[in-house]
Amino acid sequence: MTAKREAILEKAQPLFARYGYHAVGVDRIKEEAGVSKMTLYKYFPTKDALIESVLERRDAQMRESIRAALACFGTPLERLEALFAWHAAWFAEPDFYGCLFIKACDEFPDRTCAIRQVAVRHKRWIEDTIRTELAAIGHAEERELAACLMVLLEGMIVQANLQGGAARASGMWDMIRTRLIGV
């Protein structure tokens, strides 16, 4: 990846996170990245291509970070807790403005849209990660419980964005572990 392409992605990601995809124009991105419009369009022929690349980059970043966080723990239950702790730490970051993937689904409602498909793949990966750990625990209804935990996790993301930070995330894991997982 070239330095200019990376600079564009580096500047576009926080702008989209904070203000949304439709509210941020390519002129602002090119100015923040310090590139010409021609350079921006050389790497991203359309704004949609830029958005898709930002989401793919964010997906890769999150997968790497989450995998690293989970790899530090030996049991499936510890890894599930680490997944929720990872999210709580993300909520507490000063530049947390919600989830780029949730925003993408909101701003691009067409289910066939490539942008939305990147978001859907990311969310499926999170749910698959949860389901894998539940199966390793031996939970009889791992598919249904994974879907339920995914809804809770998504709600935590939205609440953290609404309330500002990790206020609602604290203590959530204990409730999930005892009431839903049953351990």
Side-chain angles (χ1 to χ4, degrees):
M1 185 177 315
T2 70
K4 288 186 180 184
R5 184 179 191 279
E6 182 62 24
I8 294 165
L9 293 171
E10 188 73 28
K11 294 299 181 178
Q13 184 172 318
L15 289 171
F16 290 146
R18 186 167 189 175
Y19 303 108
Y21 300 103
H22 296 311
V24 176
V26 293
D27 286 335
R28 180 162 184 193
I29 295 167
K30 76 169 183 66
E31 288 170 18
E32 298 252 350
V35 299
S36 69
K37 194 175 271 193
M38 181 182 289
T39 298
L40 189 142
Y41 284 120
K42 172 184 171 187
Y43 295 108
F44 308 101
T46 65
K47 184 178 175 186
D48 283 4
L50 172 60
I51 294 167
E52 192 174 339
S53 293
V54 164
L55 288 171
E56 288 169 347
R57 178 179 183 264
R58 180 64 179 147
D59 175 57
Q61 291 168 338
M62 288 181 76
R63 286 180 191 225
E64 181 181 331
S65 181
I66 290 169
R67 283 181 181 131
L70 273 58
C72 296
F73 297 94
T75 70
L77 190 60
E78 290 171 334
R79 287 190 294 273
L80 276 174
E81 181 176 5
L83 177 66
F84 280 80
W86 182 95
H87 279 82
W90 173 41
F91 305 157
E93 292 177 5
D95 60 347
F96 175 76
Y97 296 105
C99 176
L100 282 167
F101 304 101
I102 292 173
K103 288 179 196 291
C105 289
D106 185 44
E107 291 192 43
F108 298 92
D110 179 358
R111 294 184 188 278
T112 63
C113 174
I115 292 167
R116 187 181 178 98
Q117 290 305 307
V118 174
V120 168
R121 280 192 303 274
H122 171 77
K123 295 300 183 177
R124 280 192 188 130
W125 178 79
I126 298 285
E127 188 170 341
D128 287 345
T129 299
I130 294 169
R131 186 170 51 248
T132 297
E133 299 304 336
L134 289 170
I137 290 170
H139 201 284
E141 298 176 334
E142 82 268 356
R143 183 171 300 280
E144 294 81 7
L145 184 54
C148 181
L149 291 178
M150 191 65 187
V151 170
L152 284 172
L153 190 57
E154 293 300 300
M156 288 170 59
I157 293 168
V158 172
Q159 281 297 311
N161 191 29
L162 290 172
Q163 303 293 326
R168 294 271 173 113
S170 62
M172 185 63 76
W173 173 250
D174 290 333
M175 188 276 303
I176 291 168
R177 183 177 40 80
T178 57
R179 293 187 187 170
L180 296 178
I181 300 174
V183 291

